[in-house]
Amino acid sequence: KMERLLLLISLLLHVLLLSSAVSHNVPALYIFGDSIFDAGNNHFNQNCSAQADFPPYGSTFFHRPTGRFTNGRTVADFIWHYNIAAQFLGIPLQKPFLEAQIEVARGSWKNYPSNGLNFASAGSGVLRGTNQDLEVIPLQDQLQQFKTLVTQSRIDIKLAQESLFFLESGSNDIFNYFLPFDTPKLAPDAYVQAMLVEAVLFVDQIYKLGARLIAIFSLGPVGCVPARTLLPDAPVDRCFGKMNRMVKSYNKGLETLALDIPKKYPGAVGVYGSVYNIVQLFRAMPKRYGFSNVSGACCGDGPLRGQVQCGKEGYKVCQNPNQYLFWDYFHPSEHTYKLISKALWGGGHSRIQPMNLKTLASMGIPRV
């Protein structure tokens, strides 16, 4: 009898803890940005030439290509797991918007998923013209896709108010600034300011559409990606300082934007994730974080494996991708994404401020 009683108490505690965890967390996640977050939108965009829907992308976790530009899951995937303990509950990850749109049009689904959507498009930027020739979906169009769903009542405004919104964009804009065949019309500072204008407009519009819990993530050290070897002026033996200076300037603007959200937008909360600082820590102490290589890509070819896209003709792939900071010439490995997501979910002020994502997800809608 005592054993049965103890078992019953244990089960009741488990149920209470689980229901408490779920009730205090956000019901949905809406994701905007570039390849750092793209979960397959580009795959469903037939005209787009920026793709990762072929092997060996996805090989470590999904064991198939999903359109994610890494060997497994992204930061957004991990954060969703932390938010609702999805690995236990079996709640699915956010679908790419274009995939969901096709399913709804076909009648396979009656409504769009209630756990959020992923609008991110690899290769896109905060500037509309970035990689336009690749037919990517710029941030402005991602916003319009979300706006259409809200105005058509496909996304309930109350759901939006309770949900988390993620933004990460700008890496492609800054990398493209240094391309030899596309001479920039603006000085570096003016270019960064033009990017920040678009980021401010995005936050302004997403707030009007119901967003109240907004997480803005800094760019990582773009000047350290293996693809810098494609640029004539970039060094191979160290990071590209000129590029990282622009990145840091842009990140500073994003930090101000995020931390000013409660002052500018009543009832909203903003957090700023210092991805740049987190990644630089991995580079400074690789062994501590399980890395054997923090400079070259696991998959690709050429110097630092930075001149051939993973999966394209002539590529090579390492045996242990999660010992590499970079999976391919632009993008982190799943191991890197997992470490970044842990720092953003539960980290202190040097990682994310004024609070971490765990705190943001548990606080609910702020009262004005």
Side-chain angles (χ1 to χ4, degrees):
K1 284 184 179 179
M2 182 60 73
E3 285 180 0
R4 286 178 65 188
L5 183 62
L6 288 170
L7 179 62
L8 185 61
I9 290 169
S10 175
L11 284 169
L12 283 169
L13 284 171
H14 182 76
V15 169
L16 283 168
L17 284 168
L18 188 59
S19 62
S20 171
V22 174
S23 66
H24 282 85
N25 290 331
V26 294
L29 176 60
Y30 294 98
I31 303 154
F32 302 84
D34 54 29
S35 56
I36 300 298
F37 283 157
D38 191 348
N41 271 308
N42 282 14
H43 170 67
F44 294 95
N45 179 3
Q46 292 182 348
N47 298 322
C48 182
S49 54
Q51 297 290 354
D53 54 357
F54 45 83
Y57 285 101
S59 55
T60 302
F61 179 78
F62 297 101
H63 307 297
R64 62 179 177 83
T66 63
R68 290 169 175 81
F69 282 72
T70 185
N71 56 310
R73 292 159 289 184
T74 68
V75 166
D77 297 331
F78 281 113
I79 295 298
W80 185 244
H81 278 302
Y82 300 148
N83 176 53
I84 42 76
Q87 62 270 46
F88 178 76
L89 296 174
I91 296 173
L93 298 169
Q94 283 69 33
K95 276 194 176 286
F97 164 70
L98 292 182
E99 181 185 9
Q101 187 180 49
I102 290 165
E103 295 288 346
V104 170
R106 282 178 182 162
S108 306
W109 299 338
K110 189 178 178 183
N111 296 314
Y112 284 85
S114 60
N115 71 330
L117 285 164
N118 189 322
F119 296 88
S121 172
S124 68
V126 289
L127 299 174
R128 180 174 280 282
T130 295
N131 290 333
Q132 204 166 19
D133 56 321
L134 304 180
E135 299 280 350
V136 299
I137 306 164
L139 187 64
Q140 295 80 2
D141 290 356
Q142 295 174 35
L143 180 66
Q144 184 57 49
Q145 289 168 343
F146 178 79
K147 184 177 181 179
T148 300
L149 293 181
V150 172
T151 54
Q152 291 177 350
S153 299
R154 297 282 197 157
I155 292 176
D156 183 76
I157 195 83
K158 189 175 184 299
L159 177 70
Q161 288 175 342
E162 295 173 350
S163 300
L164 267 182
F165 286 77
F166 282 3
L167 170 65
E168 187 282 334
S169 186
S171 297
N172 294 304
D173 306 276
I174 290 179
F175 190 88
N176 285 12
Y177 186 86
F178 293 90
L179 291 174
F181 49 81
D182 191 14
T183 309
K185 295 179 177 66
L186 296 172
D189 287 347
Y191 189 82
V192 166
Q193 285 308 308
M195 291 171 62
L196 288 168
V197 164
E198 295 300 328
V200 170
L201 282 171
F202 174 86
V203 172
D204 191 63
Q205 292 299 308
I206 210 74
Y207 173 79
K208 288 174 182 172
L209 294 168
R212 295 297 179 266
L213 305 174
I214 303 167
I216 297 175
F217 303 121
S218 84
L219 306 186
V222 186
C224 302
V225 299
R228 72 180 184 276
T229 60
L230 292 164
L231 306 172
D233 298 331
V236 177
D237 60 341
R238 62 189 185 281
C239 297
F240 193 8
K242 283 184 182 178
M243 191 179 286
N244 277 347
R245 277 194 289 278
M246 284 182 74
V247 169
K248 285 192 273 190
S249 174
Y250 177 66
N251 285 346
K252 194 171 182 182
L254 288 183
E255 181 178 6
T256 301
L257 169 62
L259 298 182
D260 281 351
I261 283 174
K263 303 173 200 170
K264 192 173 177 184
Y265 303 104
V269 178
V271 300
Y272 171 75
S274 304
V275 175
Y276 189 99
N277 293 347
I278 295 166
V279 174
Q280 291 296 53
L281 201 61
F282 303 159
R283 293 184 63 253
M285 295 183 286
K287 286 184 181 177
R288 179 176 173 180
Y289 294 98
F291 295 111
S292 61
N293 189 318
V294 292
S295 55
C298 166
C299 187
D301 199 21
L304 302 178
R305 291 194 176 168
Q307 295 191 348
V308 171
Q309 185 185 357
C310 179
K312 297 291 188 179
E313 188 178 349
Y315 84 95
K316 300 176 180 69
V317 65
C318 70
Q319 286 188 318
N320 300 300
N322 286 332
Q323 290 181 8
Y324 279 67
L325 180 71
F326 294 103
W327 161 250
D328 71 2
Y329 58 176
F330 274 105
H331 308 102
S333 66
E334 184 186 63
H335 179 60
T336 306
Y337 280 139
K338 186 174 186 178
L339 292 173
I340 293 170
S341 64
K342 279 185 176 179
L344 295 171
W345 179 252
H349 277 209
S350 63
R351 312 284 196 273
I352 183 164
Q353 54 175 314
M355 69 190 77
N356 58 38
L357 293 175
K358 185 178 181 181
T359 304
L360 182 67
S362 64
M363 69 183 297
I365 309 171
R367 298 193 178 278
V368 185

